[in-house]
Amino acid sequence: MSTEATEEQVDYAYTVFNTVKTAIDKATVNPGLTVGLGYELVQKMPELFDAMMAIVRPEHRQLMFELSKAAMKLVREWQTKKI
Amino acid sequence: MNWRFWRRKVERYVLMRRKEDGRGFEKVMDISSELADFDMFTQSEIFSSLTKGIYSLVSYREGRSGFKTVWGPAAFGGSQEEAEEMVRPREPREIDVAAQIERALAPLEKFKKVAEVYDKYFGRQAMVESIKTMRTEYDALGNIFGTGSKVSGEEAVVYEGKLPIWMHPKAVVGTIDQALDTIEKRAKKWGIIEEEGGPPREELLKLPPRPTTGTAVSFKSEDMKEGKEDEHGSD
């Protein structure tokens, strides 16, 4: 059953999101890193998902799960069309 | 931003390379004389592009006086604040990127000494190519920084060059599939999805109340329970 996240999990979530913010800033000033950033985000999606789950209230987690899955499937569709 | 502070730091930049025996650095050139007009951000962009990661900013303690910042063949040794400041997008009024890159590329002779070092690893042609790529990318980014007029912002920015094999679309699809699987596992951990074979929820264990067919039937059944069935049977 869904429970409230512990303080450690929330700390972890903030670390993850701060790292993502720094990475996006880097890609903004270094356009060569944009593709790499996208790949990294896809690769680190499970960690991002965990972070999202930690800071979202338990009753809204289902929605965030569906949203993450839909976004991933959309990216997958785009990539498949590229091939 | 304290502009003078940064300018003072820029004046201390020296291109260093590690000695052959691996002990300490030796001076190659003084960047301050070549690029004194540029701020640290632009210098880092130019040199990180030129040297393909061989050289980077290194801060080390110099005597008792404090720290000295050099371009050296090592990882960035500055503080977290400095690193974040380096990657912070500048306001258009703070830095005119396109114009500064143009100025940097115009006198290519100034990079002759850098090229001497660079040739050992990649060759002169590679350096020129990397400079060209850098300029193209900054031209494309001009609109984002609010300084360029070459990109209207309506068309997508196109980046040229070959992608490494691990960035091939097929590999990306595989990665997405893996990530989706992992997310589903973690969703089970967070209690969003029921685990297969796990203990069922309490709500599912409670059976719903049985439907009743009507009051008359229930009366009849109660009568039967009270023993009136026998009376009927005796009739």
Side-chain angles (χ1 to χ4, degrees):
Chain A
M1 295 292 288
S2 295
T3 50
E4 290 288 345
T6 62
E7 205 168 318
E8 282 177 1
Q9 283 169 328
V10 174
D11 281 353
Y12 170 79
Y14 269 80
T15 313
V16 167
F17 284 124
N18 280 332
T19 313
V20 169
K21 187 189 159 297
T22 310
I24 290 171
D25 285 350
K26 270 186 184 173
T28 307
V29 294
N30 299 291
L33 300 177
T34 315
V35 179
L37 173 70
Y39 185 79
E40 282 286 315
L41 284 180
V42 168
Q43 226 177 8
K44 300 281 161 61
M45 200 62 199
E47 280 71 27
L48 276 171
F49 176 74
D50 258 357
M52 248 192 291
M53 291 299 106
I55 57 169
V56 168
R57 288 220 304 268
E59 58 265 33
H60 304 315
R61 279 178 191 157
Q62 181 73 32
L63 175 68
M64 301 310 289
F65 171 60
E66 300 291 341
L67 199 65
S68 313
K69 235 169 91 171
M72 296 284 282
K73 281 181 180 169
L74 180 69
V75 177
R76 193 189 185 286
E77 192 63 26
W78 282 345
Q79 290 293 332
T80 315
K81 278 179 186 170
K82 252 193 217 176
I83 297 170
Chain B
M1 189 174 72
N2 190 341
W3 190 258
R4 283 186 180 178
F5 171 74
W6 287 100
R7 282 296 290 271
R8 255 189 276 123
K9 284 191 84 174
V10 166
E11 285 168 10
R12 284 185 295 159
Y13 288 165
V14 178
L15 182 64
M16 309 282 280
R17 65 182 165 200
R18 194 176 286 280
K19 287 178 185 173
E20 287 184 0
D21 59 358
R23 294 180 180 178
F25 296 101
E26 60 183 356
K27 183 177 173 182
V28 178
M29 67 177 288
D30 189 356
I31 295 173
S32 61
S33 62
E34 304 288 334
L35 294 168
D37 294 339
F38 302 112
D39 66 329
M40 192 183 94
F41 171 73
T42 312
Q43 284 196 16
S44 69
E45 285 302 302
I46 290 169
F47 280 92
S48 64
S49 178
L50 276 177
T51 55
K52 296 280 181 188
I54 289 176
Y55 292 96
S56 58
L57 272 175
V58 183
S59 292
Y60 64 93
R61 187 175 286 281
E62 189 186 42
R64 293 183 178 181
S65 57
F67 287 93
K68 187 176 182 182
T69 308
V70 300
W71 285 97
F76 179 71
S79 66
Q80 180 66 23
E81 287 77 15
E82 277 181 277
E84 283 176 2
E85 178 66 18
M86 277 177 68
V87 299
R88 182 175 68 81
R90 296 315 199 245
E91 295 289 331
R93 59 183 169 76
E94 283 184 86
I95 176 171
D96 189 350
V97 176
Q100 291 202 1
I101 295 294
E102 283 290 331
R103 278 163 57 198
L105 291 170
L108 270 178
E109 286 300 308
K110 285 190 175 182
F111 293 107
K112 204 185 285 177
K113 289 182 181 176
V114 181
E116 284 173 13
V117 181
Y118 195 85
D119 282 353
K120 288 182 183 173
Y121 299 96
F122 298 104
R124 180 66 56 89
Q125 194 59 34
M127 187 192 78
V128 175
E129 284 301 317
S130 66
I131 292 172
K132 279 182 184 170
T133 312
M134 180 178 68
R135 186 168 63 173
T136 313
E137 288 174 356
Y138 271 97
D139 282 348
L141 261 189
N143 194 261
I144 297 173
F145 285 101
T147 56
S149 56
K150 292 173 184 174
V151 177
S152 67
E154 290 173 0
E155 64 266 26
V157 178
V158 180
Y159 299 110
E160 293 176 354
K162 289 178 183 173
L163 287 178
I165 187 65
W166 51 267
M167 266 190 214
H168 191 275
K170 275 185 183 173
V172 174
V173 169
T175 313
I176 292 173
D177 287 342
Q178 279 181 5
L180 272 168
D181 287 346
T182 317
I183 283 178
E184 289 203 349
K185 280 179 194 166
R186 299 204 177 173
K188 283 174 189 169
K189 189 192 80 180
W190 284 100
I192 298 165
I193 304 176
E194 286 293 325
E195 269 191 72
E196 290 174 14
R201 285 187 176 184
E202 287 181 8
E203 300 95 71
L204 295 176
L205 285 173
K206 283 180 190 172
L207 292 173
R210 286 177 181 276
T212 52
T213 50
T215 49
V217 177
S218 64
F219 270 119
K220 195 177 179 181
S221 63
E222 280 177 11
D223 291 347
M224 287 166 77
K225 278 180 186 175
E226 285 169 7
K228 288 179 182 177
E229 195 180 3
D230 297 335
E231 291 175 8
H232 290 291
S234 63
D235 288 337

